[in-house]
mmCIF file of all heavy atoms in Angstrom:
data_model
loop_
_atom_site.group_PDB
_atom_site.id
_atom_site.type_symbol
_atom_site.label_atom_id
_atom_site.label_comp_id
_atom_site.label_asym_id
_atom_site.label_seq_id
_atom_site.Cartn_x
_atom_site.Cartn_y
_atom_site.Cartn_z
ATOM 1 N N GLU A 164 -67.907 6.110 46.038
ATOM 2 C CA GLU A 164 -68.910 6.602 45.066
ATOM 3 C C GLU A 164 -69.374 8.017 45.351
ATOM 4 O O GLU A 164 -69.646 8.812 44.432
ATOM 5 C CB GLU A 164 -70.090 5.651 45.004
ATOM 6 C CG GLU A 164 -69.723 4.308 44.401
ATOM 7 C CD GLU A 164 -70.894 3.324 44.319
ATOM 8 O OE1 GLU A 164 -71.918 3.574 44.995
ATOM 9 O OE2 GLU A 164 -70.769 2.313 43.601
ATOM 10 N N ALA A 165 -69.465 8.401 46.631
ATOM 11 C CA ALA A 165 -70.069 9.688 46.956
ATOM 12 C C ALA A 165 -69.142 10.885 46.692
ATOM 13 O O ALA A 165 -69.607 11.935 46.227
ATOM 14 C CB ALA A 165 -70.498 9.695 48.432
ATOM 15 N N GLU A 166 -67.863 10.734 46.960
ATOM 16 C CA GLU A 166 -66.970 11.881 46.883
ATOM 17 C C GLU A 166 -65.742 11.631 45.993
ATOM 18 O O GLU A 166 -65.411 12.487 45.135
ATOM 19 C CB GLU A 166 -66.461 12.254 48.296
ATOM 20 C CG GLU A 166 -67.601 12.723 49.223
ATOM 21 C CD GLU A 166 -67.093 13.025 50.634
ATOM 22 O OE1 GLU A 166 -65.885 12.931 50.883
ATOM 23 O OE2 GLU A 166 -67.976 13.405 51.476
ATOM 24 N N VAL A 167 -65.084 10.511 46.147
ATOM 25 C CA VAL A 167 -63.857 10.253 45.420
ATOM 26 C C VAL A 167 -64.104 10.159 43.902
ATOM 27 O O VAL A 167 -63.388 10.742 43.090
ATOM 28 C CB VAL A 167 -63.158 8.949 45.917
ATOM 29 C CG1 VAL A 167 -62.083 8.501 44.958
ATOM 30 C CG2 VAL A 167 -62.566 9.197 47.316
ATOM 31 N N VAL A 168 -65.136 9.446 43.517
ATOM 32 C CA VAL A 168 -65.402 9.258 42.075
ATOM 33 C C VAL A 168 -65.787 10.591 41.390
ATOM 34 O O VAL A 168 -65.216 10.944 40.341
ATOM 35 C CB VAL A 168 -66.463 8.155 41.832
ATOM 36 C CG1 VAL A 168 -67.023 8.235 40.390
ATOM 37 C CG2 VAL A 168 -65.873 6.802 42.134
ATOM 38 N N PRO A 169 -66.719 11.385 41.946
ATOM 39 C CA PRO A 169 -67.035 12.672 41.286
ATOM 40 C C PRO A 169 -65.807 13.583 41.174
ATOM 41 O O PRO A 169 -65.617 14.210 40.119
ATOM 42 C CB PRO A 169 -68.096 13.297 42.193
ATOM 43 C CG PRO A 169 -68.738 12.128 42.862
ATOM 44 C CD PRO A 169 -67.615 11.134 43.092
ATOM 45 N N THR A 170 -64.990 13.663 42.211
ATOM 46 C CA THR A 170 -63.786 14.481 42.155
ATOM 47 C C THR A 170 -62.820 13.948 41.122
ATOM 48 O O THR A 170 -62.208 14.706 40.319
ATOM 49 C CB THR A 170 -63.117 14.518 43.548
ATOM 50 O OG1 THR A 170 -63.996 15.139 44.467
ATOM 51 C CG2 THR A 170 -61.791 15.292 43.484
ATOM 52 N N SER A 171 -62.655 12.643 41.063
ATOM 53 C CA SER A 171 -61.741 12.028 40.119
ATOM 54 C C SER A 171 -62.169 12.247 38.678
ATOM 55 O O SER A 171 -61.363 12.481 37.789
ATOM 56 C CB SER A 171 -61.602 10.523 40.415
ATOM 57 O OG SER A 171 -61.036 10.304 41.699
ATOM 58 N N ILE A 172 -63.469 12.145 38.439
ATOM 59 C CA ILE A 172 -63.982 12.416 37.065
ATOM 60 C C ILE A 172 -63.670 13.822 36.678
ATOM 61 O O ILE A 172 -63.212 14.075 35.546
ATOM 62 C CB ILE A 172 -65.504 12.120 37.024
ATOM 63 C CG1 ILE A 172 -65.783 10.645 37.166
ATOM 64 C CG2 ILE A 172 -66.105 12.686 35.727
ATOM 65 C CD1 ILE A 172 -67.247 10.271 37.287
ATOM 66 N N GLU A 173 -63.868 14.735 37.568
ATOM 67 C CA GLU A 173 -63.585 16.184 37.308
ATOM 68 C C GLU A 173 -62.095 16.387 36.944
ATOM 69 O O GLU A 173 -61.763 17.110 35.997
ATOM 70 C CB GLU A 173 -63.925 17.015 38.498
ATOM 71 C CG GLU A 173 -63.565 18.496 38.355
ATOM 72 C CD GLU A 173 -63.636 19.243 39.671
ATOM 73 O OE1 GLU A 173 -64.244 18.718 40.651
ATOM 74 O OE2 GLU A 173 -63.043 20.338 39.767
ATOM 75 N N LEU A 174 -61.209 15.712 37.653
ATOM 76 C CA LEU A 174 -59.794 15.910 37.489
ATOM 77 C C LEU A 174 -59.156 14.996 36.481
ATOM 78 O O LEU A 174 -57.971 15.190 36.132
ATOM 79 C CB LEU A 174 -59.069 15.733 38.854
ATOM 80 C CG LEU A 174 -59.536 16.652 39.995
ATOM 81 C CD1 LEU A 174 -58.809 16.276 41.278
ATOM 82 C CD2 LEU A 174 -59.302 18.096 39.639
ATOM 83 N N GLY A 175 -59.853 14.018 36.019
ATOM 84 C CA GLY A 175 -59.259 13.078 35.046
ATOM 85 C C GLY A 175 -58.436 11.983 35.710
ATOM 86 O O GLY A 175 -57.472 11.494 35.110
ATOM 87 N N VAL A 176 -58.798 11.620 36.946
ATOM 88 C CA VAL A 176 -58.117 10.586 37.673
ATOM 89 C C VAL A 176 -58.922 9.285 37.578
ATOM 90 O O VAL A 176 -60.132 9.297 37.844
ATOM 91 C CB VAL A 176 -57.934 10.983 39.155
ATOM 92 C CG1 VAL A 176 -57.390 9.831 40.000
ATOM 93 C CG2 VAL A 176 -57.011 12.212 39.262
ATOM 94 N N GLY A 177 -58.293 8.214 37.195
ATOM 95 C CA GLY A 177 -58.986 6.918 37.085
ATOM 96 C C GLY A 177 -58.801 6.056 38.335
ATOM 97 O O GLY A 177 -57.776 6.166 39.031
ATOM 98 N N GLN A 178 -59.747 5.184 38.603
ATOM 99 C CA GLN A 178 -59.655 4.257 39.743
ATOM 100 C C GLN A 178 -59.056 2.933 39.265
ATOM 101 O O GLN A 178 -59.508 2.343 38.269
ATOM 102 C CB GLN A 178 -61.004 3.994 40.372
ATOM 103 C CG GLN A 178 -61.834 5.236 40.681
ATOM 104 C CD GLN A 178 -61.108 6.216 41.604
ATOM 105 O OE1 GLN A 178 -60.530 5.801 42.602
ATOM 106 N NE2 GLN A 178 -61.161 7.508 41.258
ATOM 107 N N VAL A 179 -58.024 2.451 39.973
ATOM 108 C CA VAL A 179 -57.506 1.102 39.778
ATOM 109 C C VAL A 179 -57.898 0.349 41.043
ATOM 110 O O VAL A 179 -57.206 0.476 42.087
ATOM 111 C CB VAL A 179 -55.981 1.143 39.583
ATOM 112 C CG1 VAL A 179 -55.418 -0.273 39.395
ATOM 113 C CG2 VAL A 179 -55.607 2.015 38.386
ATOM 114 N N VAL A 180 -58.976 -0.376 41.013
ATOM 115 C CA VAL A 180 -59.585 -0.826 42.254
ATOM 116 C C VAL A 180 -59.096 -2.180 42.690
ATOM 117 O O VAL A 180 -58.804 -3.043 41.845
ATOM 118 C CB VAL A 180 -61.136 -0.851 42.122
ATOM 119 C CG1 VAL A 180 -61.660 0.502 41.660
ATOM 120 C CG2 VAL A 180 -61.631 -1.923 41.158
ATOM 121 N N TRP A 181 -58.967 -2.353 44.015
ATOM 122 C CA TRP A 181 -58.531 -3.640 44.553
ATOM 123 C C TRP A 181 -59.661 -4.272 45.311
ATOM 124 O O TRP A 181 -60.612 -3.622 45.731
ATOM 125 C CB TRP A 181 -57.298 -3.481 45.398
ATOM 126 C CG TRP A 181 -57.374 -2.543 46.614
ATOM 127 C CD1 TRP A 181 -57.149 -1.204 46.579
ATOM 128 C CD2 TRP A 181 -57.632 -2.909 47.962
ATOM 129 N NE1 TRP A 181 -57.279 -0.704 47.885
ATOM 130 C CE2 TRP A 181 -57.552 -1.728 48.732
ATOM 131 C CE3 TRP A 181 -57.906 -4.125 48.592
ATOM 132 C CZ2 TRP A 181 -57.765 -1.693 50.121
ATOM 133 C CZ3 TRP A 181 -58.118 -4.111 49.981
ATOM 134 C CH2 TRP A 181 -58.043 -2.923 50.737
ATOM 135 N N SER A 182 -59.561 -5.567 45.471
ATOM 136 C CA SER A 182 -60.537 -6.415 46.170
ATOM 137 C C SER A 182 -61.928 -6.310 45.552
ATOM 138 O O SER A 182 -62.924 -6.160 46.247
ATOM 139 C CB SER A 182 -60.616 -6.054 47.636
ATOM 140 O OG SER A 182 -61.197 -7.078 48.413
ATOM 141 N N PRO A 183 -62.056 -6.466 44.218
ATOM 142 C CA PRO A 183 -63.373 -6.425 43.614
ATOM 143 C C PRO A 183 -64.294 -7.587 43.985
ATOM 144 O O PRO A 183 -65.515 -7.467 43.857
ATOM 145 C CB PRO A 183 -63.088 -6.415 42.115
ATOM 146 C CG PRO A 183 -61.757 -7.118 41.997
ATOM 147 C CD PRO A 183 -60.998 -6.649 43.188
ATOM 148 N N ILE A 184 -63.704 -8.701 44.474
ATOM 149 C CA ILE A 184 -64.554 -9.798 44.968
ATOM 150 C C ILE A 184 -64.572 -9.873 46.474
ATOM 151 O O ILE A 184 -64.893 -10.905 47.037
ATOM 152 C CB ILE A 184 -64.140 -11.138 44.311
ATOM 153 C CG1 ILE A 184 -62.697 -11.496 44.658
ATOM 154 C CG2 ILE A 184 -64.354 -11.104 42.834
ATOM 155 C CD1 ILE A 184 -62.286 -12.887 44.162
ATOM 156 N N ALA A 185 -64.167 -8.741 47.117
ATOM 157 C CA ALA A 185 -64.239 -8.626 48.607
ATOM 158 C C ALA A 185 -63.538 -9.821 49.281
ATOM 159 O O ALA A 185 -64.101 -10.531 50.090
ATOM 160 C CB ALA A 185 -65.701 -8.538 49.078
ATOM 161 N N GLN A 186 -62.257 -9.957 48.895
ATOM 162 C CA GLN A 186 -61.416 -11.012 49.476
ATOM 163 C C GLN A 186 -61.982 -12.399 49.302
ATOM 164 O O GLN A 186 -61.739 -13.319 50.086
ATOM 165 C CB GLN A 186 -61.230 -10.720 50.981
ATOM 166 C CG GLN A 186 -60.521 -9.409 51.293
ATOM 167 C CD GLN A 186 -59.078 -9.409 50.790
ATOM 168 O OE1 GLN A 186 -58.245 -10.099 51.356
ATOM 169 N NE2 GLN A 186 -58.799 -8.663 49.765
ATOM 170 N N GLY A 187 -62.751 -12.602 48.255
ATOM 171 C CA GLY A 187 -63.299 -13.897 47.949
ATOM 172 C C GLY A 187 -64.750 -14.098 48.461
ATOM 173 O O GLY A 187 -65.408 -15.073 48.064
ATOM 174 N N VAL A 188 -65.250 -13.172 49.271
ATOM 175 C CA VAL A 188 -66.595 -13.337 49.819
ATOM 176 C C VAL A 188 -67.634 -13.317 48.718
ATOM 177 O O VAL A 188 -68.607 -14.089 48.753
ATOM 178 C CB VAL A 188 -66.902 -12.231 50.853
ATOM 179 C CG1 VAL A 188 -68.373 -12.228 51.227
ATOM 180 C CG2 VAL A 188 -66.023 -12.465 52.124
ATOM 181 N N LEU A 189 -67.430 -12.501 47.667
ATOM 182 C CA LEU A 189 -68.421 -12.424 46.595
ATOM 183 C C LEU A 189 -68.376 -13.586 45.627
ATOM 184 O O LEU A 189 -69.184 -13.647 44.692
ATOM 185 C CB LEU A 189 -68.237 -11.071 45.835
ATOM 186 C CG LEU A 189 -68.750 -9.857 46.599
ATOM 187 C CD1 LEU A 189 -68.273 -8.550 45.916
ATOM 188 C CD2 LEU A 189 -70.240 -9.857 46.749
ATOM 189 N N THR A 190 -67.510 -14.542 45.889
ATOM 190 C CA THR A 190 -67.573 -15.796 45.084
ATOM 191 C C THR A 190 -68.683 -16.697 45.594
ATOM 192 O O THR A 190 -69.028 -17.672 44.937
ATOM 193 C CB THR A 190 -66.252 -16.578 45.173
ATOM 194 O OG1 THR A 190 -66.030 -17.038 46.507
ATOM 195 C CG2 THR A 190 -65.062 -15.724 44.719
ATOM 196 N N GLY A 191 -69.196 -16.404 46.806
ATOM 197 C CA GLY A 191 -70.228 -17.249 47.388
ATOM 198 C C GLY A 191 -69.741 -18.507 48.083
ATOM 199 O O GLY A 191 -70.546 -19.291 48.594
#
């Protein structure tokens, strides 16, 4: 969030993110 996203927005680079549920931890 601090560096990669602002730079990517400037350059037109999108994020294809992995582990959005933190390997299952965020399922509870």
Side-chain angles (χ1 to χ4, degrees):
E164 292 180 345
E166 297 177 1
V167 166
V168 166
T170 297
S171 297
I172 291 172
E173 175 192 345
L174 301 177
V176 172
Q178 311 302 316
V179 179
V180 306
W181 58 274
S182 200
I184 60 174
Q186 299 293 289
V188 169
L189 286 169
T190 65

